[in-house]
Amino acid sequence: MTDCLHKANGGGMSRRTLLAQAVFSLCLVTPLGRVAAQSAGTVQVGFLNHYPPFSFKGADGTLKGFDLDVAQRLCAIMGVSLVLVPEGMAALSQKLRAGQIDWIGNQLLVTPENRREFDFVRPAYATNQLSGIQHEDDNRDFLSLDDLVGKKLGVLAQTGIEEQARGALGKSVQAYARIEDALKDLASKKLDMVLEESLIAEYYIERDDLPVRVTAPFAPPIPVGLAVRKGQRETQGKLADAVKTMLSDGSLKAISEKWFGFDVSRARVGHAMSS
Amino acid sequence: MTFSLMFWLANVLAHRRFDRLWALRRLLPFGVVLLSACQTMQPPAVDTVRFTPAQATQRNIAEPKVKYLVRADGYEYCARITGIPVTPTSKPMACAFWNTRRRECSIITPEETGYNYLGHELRHCFEGAFHD
């Protein structure tokens, strides 16, 4: 069970993983002629068109999101102007390889495959973890899929999470095209639990004022980072310094609280080890 | 594993050519195994020193609502959510997760634990990630 969930989360199944895989696969395309993205004092940063709450178009058609606010803050720290480049995954990958954008503003999974294709900026600025979500009146403790036998579990459709959950629980798993619909059913007590990445769940809980809460993690924190083109040491270094500044000066905390209601840069699990 | 060791020990003691030197040679590996088992029960260094608790205003959650869950799969669960594997020489002995917004914290231990592990996790509930 543990291995299954590890694979579901870190091995190519979550939406973030799919993003990373798609970007990786497109990197196999022959590189285009590289064009310098950075003109004096300006950086071009790519964002996914529809990846709420990290980057998405609002009702007025403008791009917004947590990652966008973070990029704006990073640019302010670096003293450069931000030019937004909203695209799909394929175009983002091509533009990064071609040097038409300076970095991808959505954090990607740090996998061995992606590390071979991109350089990653560390540290990451948000902790995200596959977690259970339960109704706020529900005090039952579900820490594994085994605990959910005979219970109704909601998941996002066509993901590794759905596949693994169905393997363990069968027909009691209900798949949803939109995770916000699963959370609404949970709020109406039509489900016992929803499994989703904690930050995505926290965003909808905050936005829709849902009577549900993020409960037990089901997998380790997802390792992510901003991706820059391979070999762009200067950009990588400047971004890393800016991220550290943003973490230490309290500005990330303010952005976090705007989108999620709390500081997402801090871990939400701890442990004691034997040695 | 324990049964196999007892069976092996019984065989050693029942051996016809039992003598002290022979027994010493045979029992030496068993002693080493016991020693390593004790070693794994040593508390982590961070738990053997005194510390100054963070002031309430500096805590991750000033007054958390704490739940303590004792699980038969405690080692495995803690390994799963931290990404730290269970190995012959080390393993996560306890873990905690918290929901800062709701000021809730859950501590998980296996069915047998120690004061140091429980205390370590309780500190996490107040101060969040204070090590690593």
Side-chain angles (χ1 to χ4, degrees):
Chain A
M1 196 71 70
T2 301
D3 286 345
C4 291
L5 282 170
H6 274 282
K7 284 172 189 167
N9 192 39
M13 301 303 186
S14 72
R15 284 175 297 181
R16 193 181 286 275
T17 309
L18 288 173
L19 163 66
Q21 283 188 333
V23 169
F24 169 66
S25 64
L26 285 160
C27 286
L28 301 176
V29 174
T30 306
L32 304 172
R34 286 185 179 155
V35 179
Q38 199 166 342
S39 59
T42 302
V43 290
Q44 301 203 40
V45 182
F47 292 92
L48 285 169
N49 279 318
H50 187 69
Y51 189 38
F54 304 105
S55 61
F56 60 100
K57 286 185 177 168
D60 59 357
T62 60
L63 197 69
K64 59 183 181 178
F66 171 68
D67 284 336
L68 205 78
D69 286 357
V70 166
Q72 283 169 338
R73 177 61 190 147
L74 293 175
C75 287
I77 291 168
M78 293 191 291
V80 295
S81 300
L82 171 65
V83 175
L84 306 177
V85 183
E87 293 282 4
M89 287 183 284
L92 281 184
S93 173
Q94 287 175 338
K95 287 188 174 183
L96 185 62
R97 284 179 60 80
Q100 293 168 348
I101 56 175
D102 293 281
W103 71 84
I104 295 176
N106 304 109
Q107 295 191 106
L108 301 184
L109 257 185
V110 181
T111 61
E113 294 80 10
N114 281 340
R115 287 173 68 96
R116 281 194 288 273
E117 296 300 319
F118 305 115
D119 284 336
F120 281 92
V121 174
R122 302 312 299 259
Y125 54 78
T127 301
N128 201 2
Q129 203 160 4
L130 180 68
S131 298
I133 300 107
Q134 291 174 244
H135 196 280
E136 65 182 11
D137 295 340
D138 185 357
N139 284 317
R140 292 173 295 177
D141 300 303
F142 300 131
L143 274 64
S144 70
L145 291 181
D146 291 339
D147 295 343
L148 289 162
V149 173
K151 308 293 188 298
K152 289 180 181 174
L153 174 67
V155 296
L156 189 66
Q158 298 179 327
T159 60
I161 297 168
E162 181 193 1
E163 186 182 330
Q164 300 299 333
R166 281 202 189 286
L169 304 173
K171 291 180 179 176
S172 64
V173 176
Q174 296 185 25
Y176 292 78
R178 301 186 328 150
I179 201 66
E180 52 263 53
D181 294 333
L183 293 171
K184 283 173 186 166
D185 277 358
L186 180 67
S188 306
K189 300 188 178 179
K190 293 174 184 169
L191 296 170
D192 293 294
M193 175 183 261
V194 170
L195 264 182
E196 179 53 293
E197 291 173 19
S198 56
L199 288 187
I200 292 173
E202 293 282 14
Y203 164 67
Y204 287 114
I205 293 169
E206 180 80 356
R207 189 192 74 172
D208 300 337
D209 196 23
L210 296 171
V212 303
R213 62 194 174 101
V214 174
T215 54
F218 271 59
I222 302 169
V224 292
L226 293 172
V228 300
R229 199 170 69 243
K230 204 78 180 166
Q232 296 297 302
R233 299 280 180 203
E234 189 181 351
T235 304
Q236 185 188 23
K238 283 181 180 174
L239 267 175
D241 289 344
V243 169
K244 286 173 193 165
T245 301
M246 181 178 65
L247 287 167
S248 62
D249 71 3
S251 50
L252 180 67
K253 185 180 177 188
I255 297 169
S256 291
E257 286 174 350
K258 170 186 169 186
W259 288 97
F260 304 105
F262 67 104
D263 184 356
V264 301
S265 68
R266 304 187 67 169
R268 62 178 296 259
V269 294
H271 63 274
M273 286 289 294
S274 69
S275 58
Chain B
M1 178 69 175
T2 307
F3 179 78
S4 303
L5 280 172
M6 289 174 67
F7 183 73
W8 178 82
L9 187 60
N11 266 342
V12 167
L13 294 174
H15 200 280
R16 285 182 182 178
R17 291 184 299 163
F18 182 79
D19 62 64
R20 284 181 183 175
L21 187 61
W22 184 88
L24 187 64
R25 278 205 315 266
R26 287 295 198 177
L27 290 172
L28 192 60
F30 184 62
V32 171
V33 169
L34 270 181
L35 195 62
S36 351
C38 292
Q39 284 290 336
T40 62
M41 295 306 291
Q42 288 289 329
V46 69
D47 292 351
T48 61
V49 297
R50 293 174 182 232
F51 68 95
T52 304
Q55 293 187 354
T57 54
Q58 300 300 312
R59 291 177 193 159
N60 185 47
I61 305 175
E63 295 180 359
K65 177 183 175 184
V66 178
K67 186 182 264 191
Y68 177 26
L69 306 176
V70 179
R71 300 269 302 194
D73 62 350
Y75 295 120
E76 292 77 15
Y77 178 73
C78 290
R80 173 152 56 90
I81 70 162
T82 60
I84 297 166
V86 174
T87 72
T89 54
S90 71
K91 58 188 170 188
M93 301 297 288
C95 57
F97 59 85
W98 50 90
N99 185 324
T100 305
R101 185 160 61 172
R102 294 187 60 89
R103 299 172 192 166
E104 295 171 346
C105 183
S106 297
I107 296 172
I108 293 90
T109 69
E111 289 172 324
E112 185 176 289
T113 189
Y115 292 104
N116 55 306
Y117 301 124
L118 195 55
H120 178 113
E121 299 311 325
L122 187 60
R123 186 180 177 193
H124 276 302
C125 287
F126 287 97
E127 299 186 14
F130 62 85
H131 62 86
D132 295 347

